[in-house]
Amino acid sequence: MTDRSPATRVVFLGGLGRSGTTLLERLLGQLPGVAPLGEVVHLWARGVLAGEPCGCGRPFPDCPFWRGVGERAFGGWPPALAERMLSLRHRVDRTRRIPRIGHPDLGEYVRAFRRVYEAAGAPVVIDSSKHASLAYCLAESGVRVHVVHVVRAPQAVAHSWRKTVARPEDGRPMTRWGAARTALHWTAQNLAFDRLPAPVTRVRYEDLLAAPRATLTALATTLGLEPDLSFLDGPTAHLTTAHTASGNPMRFTVGPVELARDDAWHSALPRRHRRLVTALTWPLSTRYGYGGAAA
Ligand SMILES: [Zn+2]
Protein backbone atom coordinates (compact mmCIF):
# COMPACT_ATOMS: atom_id res chain seq x y z
CA MET A 1 0.00 0.00 0.00
CA THR A 2 1.36 3.41 -0.92
CA ASP A 3 0.36 6.96 -0.15
CA ARG A 4 -0.90 7.23 -3.75
CA SER A 5 -3.84 4.86 -3.11
CA PRO A 6 -7.31 6.41 -3.54
CA ALA A 7 -7.73 8.54 -0.46
CA THR A 8 -9.80 6.97 2.28
CA ARG A 9 -12.20 9.41 3.87
CA VAL A 10 -11.83 9.77 7.60
CA VAL A 11 -14.64 10.71 9.95
CA PHE A 12 -12.84 11.89 13.08
CA LEU A 13 -14.91 11.89 16.28
CA GLY A 14 -13.67 14.53 18.67
CA GLY A 15 -14.52 15.94 22.04
CA LEU A 16 -13.68 15.46 25.69
CA GLY A 17 -13.90 11.86 26.93
CA ARG A 18 -17.28 10.73 28.36
CA SER A 19 -19.16 12.93 25.89
CA GLY A 20 -20.61 10.09 23.81
CA THR A 21 -17.98 9.59 21.10
CA THR A 22 -17.91 5.80 21.53
CA LEU A 23 -21.71 5.55 21.28
CA LEU A 24 -21.73 7.73 18.17
CA GLU A 25 -18.93 5.66 16.64
CA ARG A 26 -20.92 2.46 17.21
CA LEU A 27 -24.01 3.99 15.56
CA LEU A 28 -22.22 5.53 12.55
CA GLY A 29 -20.21 2.31 12.24
CA GLN A 30 -23.43 0.49 11.32
CA LEU A 31 -23.80 2.54 8.12
CA PRO A 32 -22.86 0.88 4.81
CA GLY A 33 -19.25 1.32 3.69
CA VAL A 34 -18.05 2.59 7.07
CA ALA A 35 -15.34 0.89 9.16
CA PRO A 36 -15.19 2.01 12.82
CA LEU A 37 -11.57 1.69 14.00
CA GLY A 38 -11.87 3.02 17.57
CA GLU A 39 -9.32 5.38 19.12
CA VAL A 40 -6.50 4.86 16.65
CA VAL A 41 -4.22 7.18 18.66
CA HIS A 42 -4.05 4.43 21.33
CA LEU A 43 -3.58 1.55 18.88
CA TRP A 44 0.21 1.70 19.15
CA ALA A 45 0.49 1.38 22.95
CA ARG A 46 -2.64 -0.56 23.84
CA GLY A 47 -3.02 -2.75 20.74
CA VAL A 48 0.45 -3.36 19.29
CA LEU A 49 2.56 -3.17 22.48
CA ALA A 50 0.13 -4.30 25.22
CA GLY A 51 -1.98 -6.68 23.13
CA GLU A 52 -5.23 -5.42 24.67
CA PRO A 53 -8.46 -6.78 23.18
CA CYS A 54 -10.02 -5.53 19.98
CA GLY A 55 -13.74 -4.65 20.09
CA CYS A 56 -14.40 -8.18 18.79
CA GLY A 57 -13.02 -9.55 22.09
CA ARG A 58 -9.86 -11.16 20.69
CA PRO A 59 -6.46 -9.89 21.79
CA PHE A 60 -5.22 -7.35 19.22
CA PRO A 61 -2.50 -9.68 17.82
CA ASP A 62 -5.11 -12.44 17.27
CA CYS A 63 -7.78 -10.32 15.57
CA PRO A 64 -7.92 -11.24 11.86
CA PHE A 65 -9.09 -7.73 10.93
CA TRP A 66 -6.14 -5.98 12.57
CA ARG A 67 -3.69 -8.64 11.44
CA GLY A 68 -4.78 -7.91 7.86
CA VAL A 69 -4.52 -4.16 8.36
CA GLY A 70 -1.00 -4.53 9.78
CA GLU A 71 0.13 -6.79 6.92
CA ARG A 72 -1.17 -4.43 4.25
CA ALA A 73 0.05 -1.25 5.93
CA PHE A 74 3.44 -2.21 7.36
CA GLY A 75 4.09 -5.88 6.59
CA GLY A 76 3.03 -6.65 10.19
CA TRP A 77 3.03 -4.73 13.47
CA PRO A 78 6.69 -4.29 14.46
CA PRO A 79 6.99 -3.09 18.09
CA ALA A 80 9.69 -0.65 16.92
CA LEU A 81 7.07 1.12 14.79
CA ALA A 82 4.75 1.46 17.79
CA GLU A 83 7.61 2.81 19.94
CA ARG A 84 8.48 5.27 17.21
CA MET A 85 4.85 6.43 16.98
CA LEU A 86 4.72 7.05 20.73
CA SER A 87 7.85 9.13 20.53
CA LEU A 88 6.53 11.08 17.51
CA ARG A 89 3.21 11.64 19.27
CA HIS A 90 4.99 13.15 22.22
CA ARG A 91 6.72 15.66 19.94
CA VAL A 92 3.97 16.42 17.41
CA ASP A 93 0.49 15.57 18.67
CA ARG A 94 -0.07 17.91 21.61
CA THR A 95 -2.95 20.29 22.23
CA ARG A 96 -0.60 23.15 22.97
CA ARG A 97 1.12 22.64 19.61
CA ILE A 98 -2.08 23.10 17.59
CA PRO A 99 -1.21 26.53 16.20
CA ARG A 100 2.29 25.41 15.23
CA ILE A 101 2.51 24.45 11.56
CA GLY A 102 5.21 22.44 9.85
CA HIS A 103 6.76 20.34 12.60
CA PRO A 104 9.50 18.30 10.89
CA ASP A 105 8.11 15.00 12.23
CA LEU A 106 4.50 15.68 11.25
CA GLY A 107 4.73 13.93 7.87
CA GLU A 108 6.14 10.70 9.30
CA TYR A 109 3.59 10.67 12.12
CA VAL A 110 0.57 11.16 9.87
CA ARG A 111 1.84 8.73 7.20
CA ALA A 112 1.39 5.81 9.61
CA PHE A 113 -2.19 6.85 10.42
CA ARG A 114 -2.93 7.24 6.70
CA ARG A 115 -1.63 3.72 6.03
CA VAL A 116 -3.82 2.28 8.79
CA TYR A 117 -6.89 4.07 7.40
CA GLU A 118 -6.21 2.91 3.83
CA ALA A 119 -5.42 -0.66 4.87
CA ALA A 120 -8.81 -0.94 6.62
CA GLY A 121 -10.25 -1.52 3.16
CA ALA A 122 -13.36 0.67 3.49
CA PRO A 123 -14.19 3.88 1.62
CA VAL A 124 -14.83 5.61 4.95
CA VAL A 125 -13.22 4.91 8.32
CA ILE A 126 -14.08 6.32 11.73
CA ASP A 127 -11.28 7.33 14.07
CA SER A 128 -12.69 8.22 17.50
CA SER A 129 -9.35 9.38 18.93
CA LYS A 130 -11.16 12.45 20.36
CA HIS A 131 -8.20 14.84 20.67
CA ALA A 132 -8.33 17.98 18.55
CA SER A 133 -4.55 17.86 18.22
CA LEU A 134 -4.61 14.64 16.15
CA ALA A 135 -7.44 16.00 13.98
CA TYR A 136 -5.27 19.04 13.44
CA CYS A 137 -2.24 16.92 12.44
CA LEU A 138 -4.33 14.90 9.96
CA ALA A 139 -5.99 17.91 8.34
CA GLU A 140 -2.75 19.84 8.17
CA SER A 141 -1.12 16.93 6.30
CA GLY A 142 -3.84 16.63 3.67
CA VAL A 143 -5.82 13.64 5.01
CA ARG A 144 -9.46 13.83 3.85
CA VAL A 145 -10.91 14.30 7.30
CA HIS A 146 -14.30 15.55 8.46
CA VAL A 147 -14.44 16.18 12.19
CA VAL A 148 -17.59 15.46 14.19
CA HIS A 149 -17.28 17.39 17.44
CA VAL A 150 -19.40 15.74 20.13
CA VAL A 151 -20.37 17.91 23.09
CA ARG A 152 -22.28 17.03 26.24
CA ALA A 153 -23.52 19.08 29.19
CA PRO A 154 -20.43 19.73 31.36
CA GLN A 155 -22.24 18.68 34.56
CA ALA A 156 -22.98 15.25 33.05
CA VAL A 157 -19.38 14.90 31.87
CA ALA A 158 -18.09 15.89 35.33
CA HIS A 159 -20.30 13.29 36.97
CA SER A 160 -19.03 10.60 34.60
CA TRP A 161 -15.36 11.42 35.32
CA ARG A 162 -15.99 11.14 39.09
CA LYS A 163 -17.33 7.60 38.84
CA THR A 164 -15.24 4.51 39.49
CA VAL A 165 -15.31 2.31 36.41
CA ALA A 166 -13.17 -0.78 35.80
CA ARG A 167 -11.55 -1.15 32.37
CA PRO A 168 -12.80 -4.39 30.78
CA GLU A 169 -9.36 -4.74 29.14
CA ASP A 170 -7.43 -5.31 32.38
CA GLY A 171 -9.83 -4.71 35.30
CA ARG A 172 -7.90 -1.64 36.42
CA PRO A 173 -9.89 1.50 37.28
CA MET A 174 -10.34 4.09 34.54
CA THR A 175 -8.87 7.53 35.18
CA ARG A 176 -10.93 9.70 37.53
CA TRP A 177 -11.02 13.49 37.64
CA GLY A 178 -12.55 15.90 40.12
CA ALA A 179 -15.25 18.32 38.99
CA ALA A 180 -12.98 21.37 38.63
CA ARG A 181 -10.42 19.49 36.58
CA THR A 182 -13.09 18.10 34.27
CA ALA A 183 -14.58 21.58 33.82
CA LEU A 184 -11.22 23.03 32.80
CA HIS A 185 -10.55 20.17 30.37
CA TRP A 186 -14.11 20.52 29.02
CA THR A 187 -13.47 24.12 28.04
CA ALA A 188 -9.93 23.61 26.73
CA GLN A 189 -10.69 20.51 24.65
CA ASN A 190 -13.90 21.87 23.18
CA LEU A 191 -12.39 25.25 22.32
CA ALA A 192 -9.58 23.49 20.45
CA PHE A 193 -12.10 22.37 17.83
CA ASP A 194 -12.63 25.99 16.79
CA ARG A 195 -9.18 26.11 15.24
CA LEU A 196 -9.08 23.16 12.84
CA PRO A 197 -8.28 23.46 9.14
CA ALA A 198 -10.99 20.88 8.35
CA PRO A 199 -14.80 20.78 8.18
CA VAL A 200 -16.24 20.43 11.68
CA THR A 201 -19.84 19.38 12.43
CA ARG A 202 -21.00 19.67 16.01
CA VAL A 203 -23.36 17.12 17.56
CA ARG A 204 -24.83 17.38 21.03
CA TYR A 205 -25.04 14.10 22.95
CA GLU A 206 -28.45 15.16 24.26
CA ASP A 207 -29.84 15.69 20.73
CA LEU A 208 -28.48 12.31 19.58
CA LEU A 209 -30.29 10.54 22.42
CA ALA A 210 -33.49 12.60 22.17
CA ALA A 211 -33.89 12.03 18.44
CA PRO A 212 -31.45 9.37 17.22
CA ARG A 213 -33.01 8.83 13.82
CA ALA A 214 -33.26 12.50 12.88
CA THR A 215 -29.81 13.33 14.28
CA LEU A 216 -28.08 10.39 12.54
CA THR A 217 -29.87 11.03 9.24
CA ALA A 218 -28.77 14.66 9.24
CA LEU A 219 -25.23 13.74 10.25
CA ALA A 220 -24.89 10.95 7.67
CA THR A 221 -26.12 13.31 4.94
CA THR A 222 -23.62 15.99 6.00
CA LEU A 223 -20.82 13.41 5.96
CA GLY A 224 -21.83 12.06 2.53
CA LEU A 225 -22.76 8.64 3.98
CA GLU A 226 -25.75 6.54 3.00
CA PRO A 227 -28.33 7.17 5.77
CA ASP A 228 -29.42 3.52 5.97
CA LEU A 229 -30.69 3.32 9.55
CA SER A 230 -32.18 -0.18 9.33
CA PHE A 231 -30.23 -1.07 12.53
CA LEU A 232 -32.47 1.35 14.46
CA ASP A 233 -35.80 0.12 15.76
CA GLY A 234 -37.44 2.98 17.64
CA PRO A 235 -35.15 3.72 20.60
CA THR A 236 -33.26 0.44 20.13
CA ALA A 237 -30.04 0.14 18.13
CA HIS A 238 -28.93 -3.32 17.03
CA LEU A 239 -25.14 -3.30 17.09
CA THR A 240 -22.86 -5.75 15.30
CA THR A 241 -19.22 -6.48 16.15
CA ALA A 242 -16.83 -3.55 15.62
CA HIS A 243 -13.05 -4.07 15.36
CA THR A 244 -12.14 -1.06 17.47
CA ALA A 245 -8.54 -0.80 18.65
CA SER A 246 -9.34 1.16 21.82
CA GLY A 247 -12.14 3.12 23.44
CA ASN A 248 -14.55 3.08 26.35
CA PRO A 249 -16.19 -0.17 27.54
CA MET A 250 -19.21 0.34 25.25
CA ARG A 251 -17.05 -0.70 22.28
CA PHE A 252 -17.50 -4.37 23.28
CA THR A 253 -21.33 -4.22 23.29
CA VAL A 254 -23.08 -6.35 20.67
CA GLY A 255 -26.84 -6.77 20.18
CA PRO A 256 -29.75 -4.51 21.12
CA VAL A 257 -28.92 -1.29 22.98
CA GLU A 258 -31.54 1.10 24.34
CA LEU A 259 -30.68 4.66 23.42
CA ALA A 260 -31.53 6.54 26.58
CA ARG A 261 -29.95 9.64 28.05
CA ASP A 262 -27.89 9.06 31.16
CA ASP A 263 -29.04 11.87 33.45
CA ALA A 264 -27.80 10.36 36.69
CA TRP A 265 -25.80 13.52 37.43
CA HIS A 266 -29.04 15.38 38.28
CA SER A 267 -29.23 13.49 41.57
CA ALA A 268 -25.66 12.21 41.95
CA LEU A 269 -23.51 15.29 41.35
CA PRO A 270 -23.35 17.31 44.60
CA ARG A 271 -24.77 20.80 44.30
CA ARG A 272 -21.46 22.52 45.09
CA HIS A 273 -19.76 20.60 42.27
CA ARG A 274 -22.60 21.47 39.95
CA ARG A 275 -22.21 25.17 40.71
CA LEU A 276 -18.45 24.97 40.26
CA VAL A 277 -18.73 23.24 36.88
CA THR A 278 -21.37 25.71 35.72
CA ALA A 279 -19.18 28.67 36.68
CA LEU A 280 -15.99 27.24 35.17
CA THR A 281 -17.55 26.26 31.83
CA TRP A 282 -19.41 29.52 31.24
CA PRO A 283 -19.72 31.13 28.69
CA LEU A 284 -18.77 28.30 26.29
CA SER A 285 -21.54 26.10 27.69
CA THR A 286 -24.17 28.67 26.72
CA ARG A 287 -22.76 28.75 23.18
CA TYR A 288 -23.57 25.03 22.91
CA GLY A 289 -27.07 25.62 24.28
CA TYR A 290 -26.46 24.45 27.84
CA GLY A 291 -28.25 27.13 29.79
CA GLY A 292 -29.84 27.33 33.20
CA ALA A 293 -31.79 24.10 32.73
CA ALA A 294 -28.62 22.01 32.54
CA ALA A 295 -27.14 23.68 35.58
ZN1 LIG B 1 -11.22 -7.54 16.08
Side-chain angles (χ1 to χ4, degrees):
M1 179 132 320
T2 74
D3 291 348
R4 286 186 297 277
S5 306
T8 303
R9 291 166 55 211
V10 179
V11 173
F12 186 96
L13 301 188
L16 183 61
R18 317 291 172 87
S19 296
T21 47
T22 303
L23 173 64
L24 184 57
E25 172 170 39
R26 298 302 311 277
L27 298 173
L28 289 177
Q30 296 294 135
L31 298 177
V34 178
L37 303 181
E39 300 177 11
V40 182
V41 70
H42 296 305
L43 175 154
W44 317 103
R46 298 179 188 170
V48 178
L49 295 178
E52 291 190 355
C54 170
C56 69
R58 297 182 187 88
F60 182 86
D62 301 336
C63 167
F65 172 81
W66 284 110
R67 197 180 291 166
V69 170
E71 284 298 326
R72 290 188 292 277
F74 311 108
W77 291 109
L81 168 70
E83 301 280 8
R84 173 77 181 153
M85 288 301 286
L86 295 181
S87 140
L88 288 171
R89 180 185 173 199
H90 185 70
R91 292 205 289 279
V92 176
D93 184 358
R94 311 287 287 268
T95 302
R96 61 186 160 82
R97 289 196 187 278
I98 284 180
R100 186 167 158 186
I101 300 173
H103 192 287
D105 293 326
L106 184 61
E108 182 188 352
Y109 183 66
V110 170
R111 200 171 304 127
F113 280 89
R114 198 194 292 261
R115 287 192 175 162
V116 169
Y117 300 145
E118 291 177 351
V124 179
V125 298
I126 303 178
D127 182 343
S128 60
S129 291
K130 296 186 300 225
H131 309 137
S133 53
L134 177 55
Y136 182 87
C137 291
L138 297 174
E140 195 59 40
S141 303
V143 173
R144 291 181 68 195
V145 60
H146 191 129
V147 175
V148 178
H149 175 203
V150 186
V151 296
R152 184 179 183 188
Q155 298 81 4
V157 177
H159 169 62
S160 182
W161 278 101
R162 290 176 77 238
K163 284 193 293 191
T164 303
V165 180
R167 297 181 77 230
E169 288 87 348
D170 54 16
R172 298 213 309 262
M174 292 176 76
T175 305
R176 293 179 66 198
W177 287 344
R181 187 167 181 187
T182 301
L184 296 173
H185 279 290
W186 189 92
T187 298
Q189 270 299 319
N190 285 317
L191 272 179
F193 286 91
D194 283 350
R195 297 181 277 163
L196 297 182
V200 178
T201 301
R202 188 179 303 133
V203 173
R204 299 195 331 160
Y205 166 87
E206 294 80 5
D207 296 336
L208 174 66
L209 276 295
R213 183 169 290 275
T215 305
L216 289 170
T217 300
L219 183 58
T221 305
T222 301
L223 297 171
L225 306 174
E226 189 185 333
D228 173 1
L229 301 180
S230 48
F231 65 93
L232 269 188
D233 177 14
T236 306
H238 296 271
L239 301 180
T240 53
T241 299
H243 294 285
T244 49
S246 183
N248 92 4
M250 205 248 161
R251 72 193 179 99
F252 296 108
T253 304
V254 174
V257 171
E258 292 300 310
L259 300 178
R261 246 169 84 161
D262 178 358
D263 281 334
W265 67 270
H266 280 291
S267 53
L269 187 66
R271 180 171 290 186
R272 68 180 191 285
H273 288 158
R274 209 179 302 180
R275 280 201 297 261
L276 182 66
V277 169
T278 302
L280 287 174
T281 56
W282 187 88
L284 186 60
S285 54
T286 54
R287 200 174 110 195
Y288 298 152
Y290 300 119

